[in-house]
Amino acid sequence: MLLGSLMLPLDRSLVSPLTPLGEAYRQLLDAQLTCLVLDEQPRGRIVRMRSILEHLAGAVMHGMKADPGRPVATIAEHVETLPHTAPLELAAKALWRRPSRAVLVANDAGEVVGLLGWPQLNRFFDEILDIEYAARLHFRVGDRPGEMARALGAVAATGANVQATYLSHPQGDHRFGTIYVPGDAVQAARAALEAAGFAMAE
């Protein structure tokens, strides 16, 4: 899956740099978001719900006076920007490197068009785990350009509706690929992969 199909659109995640913390908190809460992108050029900063809470509730807990009128730009964090055509695994790596943050998603022109954080990533994994009717096909893939696309093409030719895919890190001259398909399509999809020269790993 590519970032562009999973990202939170920018129009749902924008906030002005001058927005007070109190107002930003309400906007985050109403939209059930964890991050907001600052409306600036270039767009490359986010504000996390955790940071807002630390400056509002955290201040009170430590005997200090909360400042809900403080501009949200003062607690912004710089984040990485990835192309919308990047695989989901690349965003997961970026999030692991910088926990609790997010990545921005850019279009072909390099313009930021969306945001992807743990809520979007977790929703994707939840959907995979909740697909009780899907079967998992695990196989070896040569570490060469186009091999996973060839595997997907073989499965698609059977008419199977692919639910999700995954491609591992390189392991020598190969990787491991995983394709999830509906249970009633698994036999045909497995046969198609084997006929295309892919060795099943289970």
Side-chain angles (χ1 to χ4, degrees):
M1 180 175 286
L2 304 182
L3 302 193
S5 60
L6 192 63
M7 70 181 187
L8 182 72
L10 198 64
D11 59 2
R12 288 196 56 207
S13 55
L14 280 178
V15 63
S16 165
L18 301 178
T19 303
L21 292 184
E23 182 180 332
Y25 172 79
R26 287 190 294 273
Q27 186 173 338
L28 281 165
L29 197 63
D30 290 344
Q32 292 296 301
L33 308 177
T34 58
C35 306
L36 290 179
V37 181
L38 286 178
D39 189 8
E40 59 179 12
Q41 292 293 338
R43 296 189 178 105
R45 293 193 291 167
I46 62 167
V47 178
R48 294 180 290 146
M49 172 68 91
R50 177 178 174 181
S51 296
I52 295 176
L53 287 174
E54 286 174 350
H55 285 82
L56 294 178
V60 175
M61 291 175 63
H62 290 87
M64 296 182 289
K65 183 178 180 180
D67 185 10
R70 177 178 178 175
V72 73
T74 61
I75 64 169
E77 305 172 56
H78 288 277
V79 292
E80 193 171 347
T81 299
L82 298 174
H84 70 103
T85 53
L88 182 61
E89 293 81 8
L90 191 60
K93 292 176 187 176
L95 292 176
W96 277 115
R97 288 197 301 268
R98 310 182 77 174
S100 300
R101 297 194 178 184
V103 294
L104 299 180
V105 183
N107 61 16
D108 291 332
E111 302 168 334
V112 172
V113 293
L115 170 77
L116 191 142
W118 282 115
Q120 290 75 45
L121 199 61
N122 287 336
R123 190 174 304 120
F124 168 74
F125 290 122
D126 286 345
E127 288 176 358
I128 290 180
L129 294 174
D130 288 342
I131 299 177
E132 296 180 356
Y133 56 85
R136 177 176 176 270
L137 294 168
H138 194 52
F139 51 94
R140 287 172 63 101
V141 182
D143 188 23
R144 299 182 297 276
E147 281 296 276
M148 189 62 172
R150 191 167 68 85
L152 286 168
V155 172
T158 68
N161 184 23
V162 174
Q163 305 295 317
T165 65
Y166 175 76
L167 186 62
S168 75
H169 294 294
Q171 299 184 32
D173 62 351
H174 69 278
R175 300 172 184 248
F176 286 101
T178 303
I179 296 178
Y180 293 82
V181 297
D184 58 1
V186 66
Q187 290 185 354
R190 180 187 294 271
L193 287 171
E194 291 175 338
F198 295 101
M200 305 307 294
E202 57 182 9

